[in-house]
Amino acid sequence: MIYTALLLLHSWFRWVVVISLIYLIVRAFRGWKGQKPFLSYDNTLRHSVATFAHIQLLFGIGLYFTSPISGYFMTHFKEAVHIREIRFFGLEHSITMLLAIFVITLGSMIAKRQKADNSKFRTIVVWYTIALLLILAAIPWEFSPIISRPFFRF
């Protein structure tokens, strides 16, 4: 029951994270290149995207420790690392997503401490784009020949 609820929350909320990341990156890029002022809305958006990512991390951690795939990975490590799907969810996806959350957190902290508006926007663009690329690389896309999952779970 808990596993199913976490799976649904995790699979739907990931789109909130991805869409908000893209929106923030586009807005920050326009602010950076257009020499616009860094508004309180931009700061709220920076903080909100980082918060969304941390919420998704909590869903992911809960899912990791209740998933039968991760459970098998942890208990049968020697065999599991040779099975592509189990290795992906037990190791590759988890580590890459943790790294992406770390990059978002670090980028948010650095941007917050910048004095110039242009530097804030540039910092957000660089760090959050790196995080977005990491996230996109670790999503089990429906069309992926390596590992696939449906875009939305019902």
Side-chain angles (χ1 to χ4, degrees):
M1 180 75 167
I2 292 173
Y3 172 71
T4 306
L6 284 170
L7 188 61
L8 287 172
L9 286 169
H10 183 72
S11 67
W12 282 83
F13 199 73
R14 70 178 168 185
W15 298 112
V16 172
V17 174
V18 169
I19 291 166
S20 64
L21 257 173
I22 292 169
Y23 177 70
L24 174 61
I25 291 167
V26 168
R27 184 171 171 86
F29 185 78
R30 287 182 180 161
W32 176 28
K33 292 301 179 183
Q35 301 292 317
K36 296 183 180 182
F38 192 82
L39 306 172
S40 65
Y41 175 75
D42 297 309
N43 191 50
T44 301
L45 191 59
R46 172 200 57 81
H47 182 72
S48 297
V49 171
T51 302
F52 294 157
H54 288 105
I55 291 169
Q56 181 68 353
L57 174 65
L58 292 176
F59 289 149
I61 290 170
L63 188 59
Y64 188 85
F65 288 107
T66 58
S67 169
I69 294 174
S70 300
Y72 182 84
F73 179 79
M74 289 185 273
T75 57
H76 300 89
F77 182 78
K78 287 186 180 184
E79 299 86 27
V81 294
H82 300 293
I83 304 168
R84 176 73 181 135
E85 183 175 283
I86 295 173
R87 184 181 66 236
F88 177 80
F89 286 109
L91 188 66
E92 297 164 6
H93 175 77
S94 307
I95 290 174
T96 306
M97 290 301 187
L98 279 171
L99 182 60
I101 302 299
F102 176 75
V103 169
I104 287 171
T105 305
L106 196 58
S108 179
M109 289 173 18
I110 293 170
K112 182 180 178 181
R113 286 163 177 73
Q114 297 293 320
K115 299 293 183 212
D117 292 349
N118 203 35
S119 297
K120 290 180 183 191
F121 283 128
R122 185 184 64 235
T123 302
I124 289 171
V125 168
V126 171
W127 287 89
Y128 281 59
T129 300
I130 292 168
L132 179 62
L133 292 173
L134 287 167
I135 289 170
L136 293 176
I139 290 176
W141 294 103
E142 193 171 80
F143 53 81
S144 174
I146 299 168
I147 186 80
S148 66
R149 287 287 191 262
F151 286 139
F152 296 100
R153 293 189 183 226
F154 299 99

